[in-house]
Amino acid sequence: MHKSQDPVMEQKREALARFLGVDKTTLRISNGHLYGFKAFFHGSDEAYLVLSDAEATQAAENAVQDKLWLISLESLFAYFDIDAYPADLLGKVKTKEIRQANEEIKKLIYHTCGMEPLRKRMLSYGNRKNLLADHDQSEHYQDGFFIYRLY
């Protein structure tokens, strides 16, 4: 069990534990960061981000550039009313290829409108939960924090 010395991380852990209805000692803090923030793990098949309102907005802004491939395909399929889901690619295409495609799309955006207008527009439409909650695209509120299930 990884105990944080950071009181805010402990508050987040407690909020998540109350939300899940579990003992806070069952929640582990990630070593790395996702979209600039630490995640929490519950068991071997659940991960969550627990963020303040400002942190959630910052994380969503960071997520935009990491998910350009997904945003592009979803937009293309929606525009042409195609019944397909970009997430289905994950089992069929190598992670390296997805990252490479994402980097190429990022270059196109930087050489046209830039990333900032895209970030602002996506968040102005309320897409924070779609960007951060990969599991269910839901934003939950508990004890002053927004909770997003990653998987």
Side-chain angles (χ1 to χ4, degrees):
M1 213 296 286
H2 175 207
K3 176 132 170 90
S4 173
Q5 300 300 325
D6 181 349
V8 174
M9 286 302 288
E10 285 305 310
Q11 289 175 342
K12 290 178 178 184
R13 183 195 314 253
E14 290 169 6
L16 181 58
R18 277 191 287 284
F19 174 74
L20 295 174
V22 300
D23 187 290
K24 70 179 185 174
T25 61
T26 65
L27 302 172
R28 300 178 321 278
I29 300 172
S30 65
N31 291 326
H33 292 79
L34 180 63
Y35 312 131
F37 299 92
K38 298 242 182 219
F40 290 90
F41 298 107
H42 178 247
S44 60
D45 60 352
E46 294 179 27
Y48 298 86
L49 284 175
V50 181
L51 306 168
S52 69
D53 188 41
E55 289 172 336
T57 297
Q58 181 63 52
E61 288 175 353
N62 294 341
V64 168
Q65 70 182 20
D66 290 344
K67 293 186 171 187
L68 291 172
W69 70 274
L70 181 66
I71 295 164
S72 298
L73 285 177
E74 282 179 339
S75 300
L76 185 66
F77 294 162
Y79 184 81
F80 289 107
D81 197 25
I82 296 171
D83 189 24
Y85 302 96
D88 294 343
L89 278 176
L90 296 176
K92 299 173 185 163
V93 179
K94 295 178 185 172
T95 303
K96 181 180 175 182
E97 292 169 336
I98 290 173
R99 284 191 186 130
Q100 192 173 23
N102 201 71
E103 287 303 313
E104 295 303 318
I105 295 168
K106 194 184 302 183
K107 286 179 193 174
L108 292 172
I109 291 170
Y110 275 118
H111 286 90
T112 55
C113 65
M115 194 62 64
E116 198 56 30
L118 179 61
R119 283 184 186 130
K120 287 186 184 306
R121 182 62 60 96
M122 287 205 64
L123 292 177
S124 74
Y125 287 121
N127 284 312
R128 195 164 78 173
K129 62 185 175 186
N130 303 86
L131 290 164
L132 299 177
D134 291 335
H135 179 74
D136 58 3
Q137 289 75 50
S138 295
E139 181 177 72
H140 305 279
Y141 190 75
Q142 177 77 43
D143 302 337
F145 296 104
F146 292 91
I147 298 172
Y148 305 91
R149 185 165 175 193
L150 302 169
Y151 60 83

